[in-house]
Amino acid sequence: MILESRDRVPRRAPCRDRRRRWTRALAVAFLPLIFSGFAPRPRQKLGLPGASAQPRPAPSSLFNWSHLTPLELEDRAAGLEPQSPGGRKPCFTLGGHKFQVFGGSIHYFRVPRAYWGDRLRKLKACGFNTVTTYVPWNLHEPERGKFDFSGNLDMEAFVLLAAEMGLWVILRPGPYICSEIDLGGLPSWLLQDPKMVLRTTYSGFVEAVDKYFDHLISRVVPLQYRRGGPIIAVQVENEYGSFAEDRGYMPYLQKALLERGIVELLVTSDDAENLLKGHIKGVLATINMNSFQESDFKLLSYVQSNKPIMVMEFWVGWFDTWGSEHKVKNPKDVEETVTKFIASEISFNVYMFHGGTNFGFMNGATDFGIHRGVVTSYDYDAVLTEAGDYTEKYFKLRRLFGSVSAIPLPPLPELTPKAEYPSVKPSLYLPLWDVLQYLNEPVMSNTPVNMENLPINGGNGQSYGFVLYETSICSGGSLRADVHDTAQVFLNEVNIGHLHDHAKTLTVPTMTRCQLLRILVENQGRVNFSWKIQDQRKGLTGSVTINNTPLQGFAIYSLEMTMSFFERLRSATWRPVPKACLGPAFYLGTLKVDSSPKDTFLRLRTWNSGFVFINGHNLGRYSIMGPQGTLYLPGAWLHPEDNEIILFEKRKCGSYIQTTNEPVL
């Protein structure tokens, strides 16, 4: 995603261009549109908008292309190819048949695995024929050489499930993906190298990419179209035109994919402003946009003449950051833009069809003068909600796609049931200071060490969470420290202030005896876009001084908040929650549900800032800053009857943890 694009004012086409666009739009019902068909079956009336009791007769001018699905198309000699028939409009073909991509983005790593099938069925029922997904390097290789493609990260299972649903797949494997995810999907251990230059042919970066691609692409190759799989196109990196610091980088990645066995159509993806800088020879350029802009398509034609057009990202919504307003997009505008794509025979991918959730600490951040973490919800005002519910956009697109399909669309899948459960009042708590004994041994260092360079996790440092720095001081004065992203400062257990990017100093009170200075630093998400990805080391990133004198002798505790850490807390001696309690502290409670758990949303009205851990799952951050006011809790992650909830609250405890069947975004 290009973070600045939403703020640009859409350019207006000349009058003659607008007339031409409307003429094309009016002709939509008469165009022999290309559509991946569906097995004919009657629609079911679910009492929902857009559901029809009887299939509408298919116009004779429309094609039935139900044979162009992964399970039906047997001839795999020719994949997705751009064609330029003499005297006719350029188009894509698949298996030698004219084809138009109706794509929608779903990120498997943002959706509970138990719900993959539900989301893909709803994509298919809406009328899409293709699903697109990123592949997050940082989640798949959390430590050098240790790969994780299990559970919710089983990329191959997601791709094969899409094929079973009759959907084609466009894979966007990076290595950089942006996606509003921490460091744009790059692993934080890359930042251990002080000379590292990300997204370039710098030797340290290229060597890491090569080892990752050796593993990843070996998994992708059997899933390609020509091998009988559903992957019809693979994207080379992501929006490099917005970065464009190394002319050799994109050709290197193109070669890396080809040498490892990628044989399907390769594409790049950039907005119009950066097409020229992101395009590389021999790779189809695609474009990203938030509305139909003929002038942008002309720029694309300048980059590559006589080629069919593909919009890799049509932004139907936008993401939110803490402390900003919730962003939405008019469903009518979305419908009108997609109508124009279809009328102009433009292939497109809706970003996002279903956004999902930034579970745990995977969220990225923006920094346009102020560092703002991306909120936990990745609802994105997408076609499906964060919890997989239908929206007005969904029904508008389903009606539109149904009008150009020669056969009926599949019936609408049932909605995922929601529930409201009894409020939870945490009964036990543990102050952070009581928890230190259950952590791994602290790192002892004469000077502060940033999160990524801590000698832990097999030398891979710490990726997410918090770091606590402790040292003894015997006098007060002006304390100065470079913290990323925000810190609470304590004398022993008393909070004396906060530090962040724009508040690097505070006054330490005078003291009559030596005390323990404690600085608790939170990584609130690494920037996922712009050149600032180069400088995203977290924790304390320089010396700590009082009255310009550097402090020495630090004990550094890693607080990654992993499942193994919470398992160790089971042996801790928890205290009853007092009437008045200040953070940082952990709070323990039990959420009681019935024998058939359902989706719900946690509401933390009286709490301040922290995160929630339930039954081994980190639901993500909450904050009094807003705009997000609830945390999505999938029913698939709940047990019948009793469910353990642990809150880590940074500042002060609230009263109850409430649930609701409606999100507050």
Side-chain angles (χ1 to χ4, degrees):
M1 300 303 309
I2 296 181
L3 307 181
E4 299 163 317
S5 299
R6 171 53 49 86
D7 297 323
R8 294 202 304 266
V9 177
R11 287 166 285 176
R12 302 184 67 180
C15 293
R16 62 179 181 277
D17 288 343
R18 292 203 300 272
R19 286 195 298 269
R20 186 182 301 117
R21 286 154 50 198
W22 281 113
T23 300
R24 289 173 176 169
L26 291 172
V28 62
F30 306 101
L31 287 172
L33 297 175
I34 301 84
F35 193 75
S36 177
F38 307 96
R41 38 183 177 163
R43 298 183 187 180
Q44 298 174 353
K45 189 170 184 179
L46 301 180
L48 295 169
S52 175
Q54 298 295 330
R56 187 176 60 82
S60 59
S61 60
L62 300 180
F63 291 115
N64 176 357
W65 286 33
S66 57
H67 61 290
L68 287 185
T69 60
L71 300 183
E72 297 293 333
L73 189 56
E74 297 180 358
D75 181 5
R76 298 300 182 104
L80 185 68
E81 296 180 347
Q83 300 290 342
S84 304
R88 288 180 291 170
K89 191 171 186 176
C91 65
F92 288 105
T93 59
L94 183 64
H97 303 275
K98 195 176 180 185
F99 185 73
Q100 189 173 356
V101 175
F102 286 27
S105 288
I106 303 175
H107 300 153
Y108 58 94
F109 50 92
R110 283 185 161 120
V111 182
R113 181 167 181 164
Y115 295 157
W116 286 354
D118 174 78
R119 304 326 190 232
L120 290 170
R121 278 190 292 273
K122 288 170 178 171
L123 181 76
K124 182 79 170 178
C126 192
F128 290 87
N129 58 32
T130 303
V131 62
T132 69
T133 187
Y134 283 126
V135 181
W137 181 8
N138 54 353
L139 302 184
H140 285 300
E141 192 181 2
E143 298 180 16
R144 289 181 185 85
K146 292 186 177 180
F147 299 97
D148 185 0
F149 283 81
S150 64
N152 233 77
L153 295 175
D154 194 340
M155 177 270 299
E156 295 146 289
F158 179 80
V159 170
L160 292 172
L161 182 59
E164 291 179 19
M165 300 286 179
L167 295 163
W168 299 106
V169 176
I170 294 177
L171 199 70
R172 310 174 76 187
Y176 166 86
I177 62 173
C178 188
S179 186
E180 288 72 64
I181 194 173
D182 188 273
L183 204 60
L186 301 177
S188 63
W189 46 258
L190 290 168
L191 298 174
Q192 290 183 324
D193 181 352
K195 298 181 180 179
M196 175 59 66
V197 188
L198 304 173
R199 302 183 75 190
T200 69
T201 52
Y202 171 72
S203 60
F205 186 70
V206 166
E207 289 168 8
V209 171
D210 283 340
K211 291 176 182 178
Y212 171 56
F213 270 15
D214 285 344
H215 187 95
L216 171 66
I217 303 306
S218 66
R219 293 174 177 270
V220 174
V221 165
L223 302 174
Q224 295 181 102
Y225 174 91
R226 286 174 175 80
R227 295 289 192 93
I231 296 178
I232 56 175
V234 175
Q235 185 174 300
V236 183
E237 231 254 6
N238 189 58
E239 297 174 332
Y240 195 69
S242 304
F243 196 81
E245 294 294 332
D246 187 335
R247 290 185 179 181
Y249 176 63
M250 289 292 280
Y252 148 71
L253 286 177
Q254 177 189 8
K255 182 179 179 183
L257 292 170
L258 294 174
E259 288 181 342
R260 287 168 175 79
I262 296 298
V263 296
E264 305 306 333
L265 178 69
L266 293 180
V267 300
T268 58
S269 172
D270 292 283
D271 70 344
E273 184 179 347
N274 296 289
L275 270 171
L276 289 173
K277 293 184 288 184
H279 172 62
I280 50 176
K281 185 178 180 181
V283 176
L284 183 76
T286 69
I287 192 168
N288 303 337
M289 55 179 50
N290 59 18
S291 63
F292 191 99
Q293 296 288 342
E294 287 199 9
S295 56
D296 291 354
F297 295 134
K298 290 177 181 177
L299 284 172
L300 183 59
S301 298
Y302 177 78
V303 170
Q304 54 188 24
S305 60
N306 209 27
K307 296 285 186 182
I309 295 173
M310 184 185 296
V311 176
M312 184 54 70
E313 291 186 9
F314 165 49
W315 303 315
V316 299
W318 208 245
F319 62 93
D320 292 332
T321 55
W322 292 113
S324 65
E325 294 183 357
H326 176 53
K327 298 176 179 64
V328 297
K329 186 169 184 176
N330 190 320
K332 184 63 176 176
D333 293 342
V334 172
E335 179 187 30
E336 289 179 355
T337 297
V338 174
T339 298
K340 294 173 186 177
F341 288 156
I342 295 173
S344 302
E345 298 187 42
I346 292 172
S347 288
F348 60 90
N349 172 56
V350 165
Y351 192 102
M352 299 286 300
F353 171 77
H354 172 56
T357 309
N358 291 315
F359 292 116
F361 300 124
M362 77 167 71
N363 67 277
T366 65
D367 191 340
F368 301 113
I370 298 176
H371 182 280
R372 293 186 184 274
V374 175
V375 302
T376 300
S377 172
Y378 201 65
D379 177 89
Y380 208 86
D381 195 37
V383 179
L384 278 187
T385 70
E386 178 182 15
D389 292 333
Y390 300 118
T391 68
E392 185 179 353
K393 291 174 186 173
Y394 186 96
F395 295 121
K396 284 184 178 295
L397 291 182
R398 177 174 159 88
R399 283 192 292 268
L400 173 60
F401 294 160
S403 72
V404 298
S405 176
I407 56 175
L409 302 184
L412 282 170
E414 296 285 351
L415 291 173
T416 307
K418 310 293 186 298
E420 184 174 318
Y421 295 112
S423 297
V424 177
K425 184 173 179 60
S427 57
L428 300 171
Y429 96 119
L430 270 176
L432 175 62
W433 323 119
D434 291 2
V435 167
L436 300 184
Q437 60 183 307
Y438 300 99
L439 299 174
N440 294 328
E441 288 295 314
V443 172
M444 308 306 294
S445 175
N446 195 42
T447 58
V449 179
N450 63 285
M451 181 180 284
E452 295 79 9
N453 285 96
L454 289 173
I456 60 175
N457 295 327
N460 289 279
Q462 180 179 338
S463 294
Y464 313 108
F466 299 74
V467 182
L468 177 66
Y469 299 83
E470 291 186 346
T471 189
S472 180
I473 60 173
C474 300
S475 63
S478 178
L479 173 73
R480 190 187 191 286
D482 288 322
V483 303
H484 300 279
D485 298 303
T486 183
Q488 296 169 273
V489 183
F490 303 85
L491 280 181
N492 295 329
E493 298 179 9
V494 178
N495 190 325
I496 62 170
H498 299 82
L499 298 171
H500 52 78
D501 286 355
H502 297 281
K504 298 184 178 182
T505 62
L506 64 82
T507 299
V508 177
T510 57
M511 58 191 72
T512 57
R513 57 185 176 83
C514 295
Q515 298 189 50
L516 195 60
L517 176 70
R518 288 165 156 165
I519 304 176
L520 179 65
V521 186
E522 180 185 7
N523 167 9
Q524 295 185 326
R526 295 180 181 86
V527 168
N528 51 266
F529 177 78
S530 83
W531 182 254
K532 290 183 179 179
I533 64 171
Q534 310 295 347
D535 188 24
Q536 289 300 299
R537 295 167 181 87
K538 300 299 183 179
L540 292 178
T541 57
S543 62
V544 178
T545 64
I546 290 184
N547 297 331
N548 296 321
T549 300
L551 302 180
Q552 297 181 333
F554 288 85
I556 307 172
Y557 293 89
S558 169
L559 286 151
E560 292 185 277
M561 308 297 187
T562 60
M563 181 58 182
S564 61
F565 163 69
F566 285 100
E567 288 174 349
R568 289 198 295 275
L569 286 190
R570 296 184 190 284
S571 62
T573 303
W574 291 74
R575 308 182 193 177
V577 177
K579 290 183 178 180
C581 46
L582 296 176
F586 296 86
Y587 298 85
L588 176 65
T590 301
L591 174 66
K592 294 185 177 295
V593 305
D594 54 28
S595 60
S596 180
K598 299 175 179 62
D599 286 4
T600 190
F601 301 88
L602 297 186
R603 190 77 193 264
L604 300 146
R605 293 177 184 270
T606 57
W607 301 80
N608 191 288
S609 177
F611 71 92
V612 182
F613 197 89
I614 184 164
N615 294 341
H617 299 280
N618 188 338
L619 297 188
R621 291 181 173 89
Y622 64 88
S623 175
I624 198 172
M625 294 176 65
Q628 183 177 352
T630 54
L631 287 177
Y632 173 52
L633 173 51
W637 289 356
L638 290 172
H639 306 318
E641 309 302 339
D642 293 350
N643 295 269
E644 178 189 73
I645 292 185
I646 298 178
L647 262 68
F648 179 69
E649 167 60 48
K650 291 167 54 179
R651 298 186 179 177
K652 62 178 182 179
C653 66
S655 52
Y656 289 91
I657 303 168
Q658 298 174 309
T659 67
T660 174
N661 55 15
E662 294 284 345
V664 177
L665 297 176

